[in-house]
Amino acid sequence: MSSYKAHSLFALILALLYSFNPLVIALVIIGANVPDFDHKFRKEHVYKLIILGLLVFISLYVLNLPYYVGLIIVFLGVTFYFSEHRSFTHSIPGIIILASAIALILIWSWQLIVNVTILSNNYLIVVLIALLSFLFLNKRLLPIFISLFFISVVILQTFEITYIQIVLSLFLGLFSHIVLDATTPAGVKLFSPISSKTYYKNFARASIFILIVLALIYRIPFLFSLFEIVINY
């Protein structure tokens, strides 16, 4: 079984292929650690997730504010609770739903706080991503992640991320998880619960190749500008 360290490192490498935005990179790493919440040893965290969702739902409902964030958090917890390890949460349908749900939690929380407070829009998303990491990252990884995240944000002065970047970053992280798990002897049920067929290293190799090709295509403008700098120098 791939460890959280391996998943986080692999996600970091993939994220850097596509972006140097620390917000994007952070979400890819967070996404890469989400699928294993279906594991039995993390059931305690799943219970906490459900309780958190219920508390958020009740609080927002009482305050007559949009309470959908709480319901989505509860939905996530219930999904992990009923999923067998390396089944739905490690499949293409599963990671699409997980990426969408987590993105909605982040985006709706962002919109809600902006509408009811005077907090800066830029700094708020940084804080929300940091809070999201407390939900999904391993406690041993968390101090390193938080330190590097805030340092990179301050140094690069990057506080902007679009809604589509949030969704795609989370999806890339989630997808990186199942790609890495496909290299193990157990493989992954890529289309669970539609199909129980298990995919192994060939899927992982093909996925890595496609991801690299897509990254090169996406980075063509950057590569050209880098080439011009080298030539002019």
Side-chain angles (χ1 to χ4, degrees):
M1 180 176 69
S2 302
S3 69
Y4 71 90
K5 295 178 183 177
H7 283 300
S8 300
L9 181 59
F10 184 55
L12 174 62
I13 293 170
L14 284 181
L16 288 171
L17 288 176
Y18 287 90
S19 176
F20 298 131
N21 183 334
L23 307 185
V24 169
I25 295 169
L27 287 175
V28 175
I29 294 173
I30 291 170
N33 285 271
V34 169
D36 277 345
F37 261 63
D38 65 0
H39 205 289
K40 288 183 180 180
F41 71 82
R42 288 196 134 173
K43 289 298 182 185
E44 180 182 343
H45 298 288
V46 172
Y47 298 143
K48 291 178 181 177
L49 199 61
I50 295 173
I51 293 171
L52 173 64
L54 290 172
L55 291 174
V56 171
F57 166 73
I58 294 170
S59 300
L60 293 177
Y61 184 82
V62 170
L63 294 170
N64 198 27
L65 293 170
Y67 48 79
Y68 310 114
V69 175
L71 293 179
I72 294 293
I73 296 173
V74 172
F75 168 77
L76 271 180
V78 172
T79 299
F80 290 126
Y81 181 82
F82 286 105
S83 295
E84 295 181 3
H85 187 49
R86 287 201 180 183
S87 56
F88 180 68
T89 63
H90 288 63
S91 69
I92 296 296
I95 65 173
I96 290 174
I97 290 174
L98 290 176
S100 302
I102 298 170
L104 285 176
I105 291 172
L106 194 58
I107 292 168
W108 282 347
S109 299
W110 189 5
Q111 292 175 341
L112 177 63
I113 298 174
V114 167
N115 290 333
V116 300
T117 68
I118 57 172
L119 294 176
S120 170
N121 193 31
N122 288 339
Y123 295 105
L124 178 57
I125 188 61
V126 175
V127 173
L128 287 174
I129 291 175
L131 290 175
L132 194 66
S133 70
F134 279 90
L135 280 178
F136 293 111
L137 293 189
N138 183 284
K139 63 181 181 180
R140 295 179 181 176
L141 174 64
L142 193 57
I144 301 172
F145 172 87
I146 290 294
S147 300
L148 293 177
F149 176 54
F150 281 113
I151 290 171
S152 61
V153 167
V154 171
I155 292 175
L156 297 176
Q157 289 293 297
T158 305
F159 304 100
E160 296 182 358
I161 188 170
T162 64
Y163 292 162
I164 189 65
Q165 284 178 317
I166 289 174
V167 176
L168 291 178
S169 299
L170 288 167
F171 180 81
L172 179 60
L174 287 156
F175 186 71
S176 75
H177 187 106
I178 63 175
V179 168
L180 202 59
D181 276 359
T183 64
T184 64
V188 290
K189 296 176 181 178
L190 199 57
F191 298 101
S192 175
I194 301 170
S195 170
S196 60
K197 182 179 179 180
T198 305
Y199 292 78
Y200 299 96
K201 291 183 179 179
N202 286 339
F203 162 73
R205 294 191 189 102
S207 297
I208 292 171
F209 175 76
I210 292 171
L211 287 170
I212 291 173
V213 170
L214 290 175
L216 289 173
I217 294 172
Y218 178 75
R219 287 290 197 174
I220 283 176
F222 171 76
L223 294 173
F224 271 116
S225 62
L226 190 64
F227 179 72
E228 287 178 358
I229 292 172
V230 173
I231 294 298
N232 294 331
Y233 183 79

